[in-house]
Amino acid sequence: MPDVIPIQYINSSPVSSGESVQRSLMHGVVLNDALHRPMQDLRISVTDRCNLRCTYCMPREIFDQNHVFLPRSELLTLEEIVRVAGSFVRLGVRKIRLTGGEPLMRRGIEQLVEKLSALRTNTGDRVDIAMTSNGVLLEARAQTLKNAGLSRITVSLDALDDAIFQRMTDSHSSVGSVLAGIVAAQHAGLLVKINMVVKRGVNDGEIMRMAEYFRNTGIVLRFVEYMDVGSTNGWAIDEVVPAREIVETISARYPLVLLDASCTGEVASRWAYTDGAGEIGQIASVTHVFCHDCTRIRLSTDGKLYTCLFAEQSKADLRALLRSGHSDEDIAHAIENCWQNRTDRYSEIRNEVAGLPLNKIEMSYIGG
Ligand code: SAM
Ligand code: SF4
Ligand code: SF4
C-alpha cells in the first residue's frame, strides 16, 4: 500500500473566507461557482499525444507529422501534478480522472496513479482515481494500474467492426487489442465503462451490435453524442445521432427503463434493461444539456486551468505559479478564484453562439 500523503493546510483555515466556500461536517469543503455548482471533479490531461487519430478529436490533416506537440519541458511533471491535485482535493474535489491525449502514452502514469491515490480528503476519505483510455495499450498495463490504486477505467470504443473502427480512429489498430484491454481491466478488478461516440453515417450501424456485445457483461456501455468540441473536427449537427434515438432503437428490441441519477454531476442518463441484462448510459451533451449540474474543472497538459470543455481561454496558469516559487496557498487561491467566478454553460447557449468565430481549445490538450 502506498503511504498516505498528508494534506497540510498552510493556515489554520483550509480555504479562504469567500462566500461560496462552505464547510460541512459530513462532506468537507464545498467550493461553489457563480451558478452555485460545486467543484467536485478534476480532469487532468497528462499528455497531448495519442496513438490514434480519431477523426472527431485529432483529425490527421491537422495532427500530422508537422503538428508540434508540447515539448517535455512544458508538461507538468508528475510531482507538479500531484502537488496541484492536493490543492484541488483540499478545495473539495473528490474524483480525479486522468485523460489526454492517450494517458497510457505518458511515461510514469502508474507512479502518478499511485501518488494520487494516496491523497486523502480533509474528512479522511480516499479520492476516486479514474482514467479514460482508448484501450489499445491497456492489456499489459491493467493489473499494474489497479495495483497502483486506479479504481475505474472508461475505455473508448466506437465499433466492433475493424474496418469501421479503423476508419473512425484513422489507424491500423485493431478492435481485438481494445477488447483484450477491456478483458484485462475486468480481470484486474477495475470497474469498466465503455464510451461509444456515435457519428451518423459512420458507426450508427454498430449501435445494436455494441449493445448486444456488452449486455450481461457487467460493463456499462455509454453512447456519447458527437460534440463540437475544439475547432478542427468539422462538426455538423446532422452528424449527431440524438441519444434519445439510440435509446429508442435499443429499447425496441430490449426494453429499457430510465434509472435515477447516481450522484450530482453525473453526466450520463442511465437506462436499465428490463430483463436484468445490465444498463446503458447516454451522454447527450448536444440534445439534453447538463451545464446546470456541471461540477468539472480541467487541468491541461501544461498546467493551465479550464472551467469548460468548450473554453477558448484558460482561467489560470498553475505551472507558472508552481515554477516561480508560489506556495500551495497561492495555488489554492488561484483555483478558488477561477471556480468562484465561473459562469460557463456553453452547451446551453450553443445555438446562440453558432456561427461566431470561436477558437475552442482542442480536446486532446484540455482533456476529454
Ligand atoms: N484517448 C483517450 C480516449 O480516447 O479514451 C482519452 C482522451 S479522449 C479525448 C476522451 C473521450 O472524449 C473519449 O471517450 C472520446 O471518445 C471522447 N471524444 C473525443 N472527441 C469527441 C467529440 N468530438 N465528441 C464526443 N466525444 C469525443
Ligand atoms: Fe486519441 Fe482519445 Fe482523441 Fe481518439 S479520442 S484521438 S484516442 S485522444
Ligand atoms: Fe460543463 Fe461546459 Fe460542458 Fe456545460 S458545456 S456541461 S459547463 S463542460
Side-chain angles (χ1 to χ4, degrees):
M1 279 290 287
D3 290 331
V4 172
I5 296 179
I7 293 176
Q8 303 272 338
Y9 293 116
I10 286 90
N11 291 332
S12 53
S13 167
V15 291
S16 81
S17 54
E19 253 183 39
S20 56
V21 180
Q22 300 153 13
R23 261 169 276 162
S24 108
L25 286 175
M26 285 288 287
H27 306 293
V29 175
V30 178
L31 181 65
N32 281 328
D33 74 5
L35 301 178
H36 311 292
R37 297 168 294 190
M39 184 178 77
Q40 290 178 342
D41 312 270
L42 169 64
R43 304 207 144 202
I44 305 175
S45 176
V46 293
T47 176
D48 59 339
R49 292 165 194 259
C50 189
N51 46 349
L52 302 183
R53 286 290 179 274
C54 302
T55 55
Y56 50 72
C57 177
M58 296 180 77
R60 201 176 285 280
E61 315 83 84
I62 309 290
F63 294 89
D64 59 9
Q65 65 272 24
N66 298 320
H67 179 78
V68 182
F69 290 98
L70 288 167
R72 208 188 161 100
S73 61
E74 292 197 15
L75 270 52
L76 286 189
T77 64
L78 302 185
E79 292 70 24
E80 286 171 333
I81 294 174
V82 176
R83 188 171 158 205
V84 170
S87 293
F88 278 103
V89 170
R90 286 192 284 279
L91 289 169
V93 160
R94 297 288 168 266
K95 294 181 185 172
I96 297 177
R97 180 169 292 271
L98 301 175
T99 176
E102 174 48 39
L104 295 183
M105 291 189 71
R106 175 73 191 254
R107 202 175 303 157
I109 191 77
E110 288 85 354
Q111 288 95 297
L112 179 63
V113 169
E114 186 170 331
K115 289 195 164 71
L116 292 176
S117 68
L119 292 172
R120 293 290 179 273
T121 70
N122 57 332
T123 48
D125 297 321
R126 296 186 79 95
V127 178
D128 183 55
I129 311 294
M131 180 181 285
T132 306
S133 164
N134 61 38
V136 171
L137 302 172
L138 182 58
E139 184 181 11
R141 317 273 291 278
Q143 189 65 59
T144 330
L145 287 164
K146 170 69 181 169
N147 295 348
L150 193 73
S151 54
R152 300 180 291 123
I153 190 154
T154 300
V155 179
S156 305
L157 178 65
D158 301 332
L160 288 169
D161 179 277
D162 258 321
I164 298 173
F165 174 81
Q166 287 170 356
R167 188 173 154 208
M168 289 223 34
T169 57
D170 196 359
S171 74
H172 298 294
S173 293
S174 68
V175 172
S177 64
V178 182
L179 294 178
I182 292 168
V183 170
Q186 261 202 317
H187 282 165
L190 290 165
L191 286 171
V192 183
K193 288 183 183 165
I194 308 295
N195 271 4
M196 174 181 180
V197 176
V198 185
K199 250 182 122 172
R200 195 178 295 285
V202 183
N203 67 334
D204 44 348
E206 290 284 286
I207 292 170
M208 192 54 83
R209 196 172 164 205
M210 287 280 284
E212 286 175 340
Y213 190 88
F214 288 106
R215 271 166 55 82
N216 290 308
T217 60
I219 293 176
V220 176
L221 170 62
R222 308 191 310 171
F223 297 94
V224 183
E225 285 180 350
Y226 172 36
M227 291 185 287
D228 51 338
V229 69
S231 306
T232 61
N233 64 10
W235 183 85
I237 187 77
D238 56 6
E239 290 177 317
V240 177
V241 181
R244 187 80 211 175
E245 183 182 320
I246 296 172
V247 168
E248 280 167 9
T249 304
I250 297 171
S251 202
R253 191 171 312 166
Y254 303 107
L256 290 161
V257 59
L258 184 62
L259 299 173
D260 286 341
S262 51
C263 58
T264 318
E266 169 67 88
V267 297
S269 305
R270 301 165 54 220
W271 298 81
Y273 290 110
T274 55
D275 62 3
E279 66 177 81
I280 61 162
Q282 57 169 47
I283 303 180
S285 35
V286 178
T287 63
H288 192 78
V289 301
F290 38 76
C291 297
H292 63 281
D293 207 16
C294 180
T295 56
R296 298 172 170 192
I297 189 159
R298 294 181 150 83
L299 181 66
S300 71
T301 315
D302 55 354
K304 308 244 169 59
L305 265 194
Y306 291 87
T307 53
C308 179
L309 182 56
F310 298 89
E312 291 185 275
Q313 282 173 354
S314 91
K315 299 279 176 64
D317 183 351
L318 298 189
R319 191 190 66 192
L321 293 180
L322 284 164
R323 295 190 183 173
S324 55
H326 282 79
S327 66
D328 285 353
E329 192 180 29
D330 295 334
I331 291 166
H333 278 303
I335 298 169
E336 269 181 77
N337 195 32
C338 248
W339 192 262
Q340 287 174 331
N341 289 313
R342 176 184 190 243
T343 55
D344 304 276
R345 49 187 200 92
Y346 174 84
S347 291
E348 287 180 355
I349 58 167
R350 176 177 278 115
N351 292 339
E352 293 161 40
V353 299
L356 294 180
L358 301 179
N359 193 17
K360 289 175 279 168
I361 303 292
E362 294 303 316
M363 200 168 185
S364 50
Y365 161 77
I366 198 174

